[in-house]
Amino acid sequence: MDHAAVLARYDLEMRRNARPDAPGARTERAGAVVRQVADGRGWNGVVWSGLDAAGADRAIAGQIAYFTDLGRDFEWKLYGHDGPEDLGERLSAAGFRAEEPETLMVGEIADLTLEERLPDGVRLVRAADAAGVGLVVAVHERVFGTDGTALRDHLLARLAADPGTVLAVVALAGEVPVASARLELVPGGDFAGLWGGGTVEEWRGRGLYRALVAHRTRVAAAHGCRHVQVDASVMSRPVLERLGLHALTTTTPYLYKR
């Protein structure tokens, strides 16, 4: 893989020309910044910036003022190759709080090792209604220890308004949800996003994460996508590397609360 070329395509398609990720949200360009604006339950934040040292502080202040006027907390999603080099320090000085960095990993679907082998007694079920989404959210809350209300709202809204752009899937051991994940598609896009993959602790190490990656990747390929991309945690990165994905850069959420 030509890392620089793929990263440039990713920046152009998924960031500079970003599309809103939920019904009712919108993307806007404000100078050298692209942002998403949603209601209070959706994701609000900066998805791309092309800043230099001379204009960075002014741009940061502008986004703080904009989202504060809307009454929104927001995120500045900072990638490791974004300029200027001290942009993270500038965000921190302006009142943002950095969360744990993750690794942007991208794989060319044709080159990936896709093995959808499940433990005995486990099956994958697509979540197509409120009950199915509830199972996905239940796993999410157990694995990540966070409130799944926003995820539930996001999935239900996407499934109702544009079901062809999202796939939520849960692994059931009998009738017990033990792993879940989702796939998000941009119509006509090159990159499919693999999000939220997680397995409850007692079922880890049995291939469920790999099976969920394989299942979603096959769906992405059927929709004409060439690449899959993941914001990978420290735990998932080694698994993804073994499957054939490449680390291209880091991504760090910087959160601003009014």
Side-chain angles (χ1 to χ4, degrees), residues 22-179:
R26 66 184 186 274
T27 52
E28 301 175 339
R29 181 149 192 166
V33 169
V34 175
R35 64 193 176 211
Q36 175 170 297
V37 184
D39 62 23
R41 295 180 299 175
W43 186 86
N44 289 270
V46 172
V47 296
W48 176 84
S49 64
L51 304 176
D52 57 23
D57 291 337
R58 183 169 61 253
I60 293 168
Q63 296 310 305
I64 291 173
Y66 179 83
F67 282 105
T68 298
D69 286 346
L70 291 178
R72 304 277 192 271
D73 298 334
F74 73 106
E75 174 185 327
W76 193 300
K77 192 166 185 180
L78 177 65
Y79 287 77
H81 59 291
D82 290 345
E85 290 186 1
D86 63 348
L87 183 53
E89 296 172 15
R90 292 171 185 260
L91 290 168
S92 295
F96 288 80
R97 176 177 57 83
E99 294 201 326
E100 288 297 315
E102 295 181 312
T103 302
L104 173 65
M105 303 192 69
V106 174
E108 188 160 0
I109 292 175
D111 294 338
L112 299 183
T113 301
L114 301 177
E115 185 178 24
E116 196 174 324
R117 186 167 58 190
L118 294 167
D120 291 342
V122 176
R123 68 190 191 278
L124 298 184
V125 177
R126 297 191 183 190
D129 55 19
V133 168
L135 295 175
V136 171
V137 171
V139 173
H140 178 88
E141 291 182 334
R142 284 187 64 188
V143 171
F144 299 106
T146 57
D147 181 10
T149 301
L151 174 61
R152 178 182 285 105
D153 291 345
H154 174 78
L155 287 175
L156 290 175
R158 288 282 291 270
L159 288 169
D162 204 355
T165 65
V166 64
L167 166 74
V169 61
V170 60
L172 296 178
E175 298 303 320
V176 178
V178 294

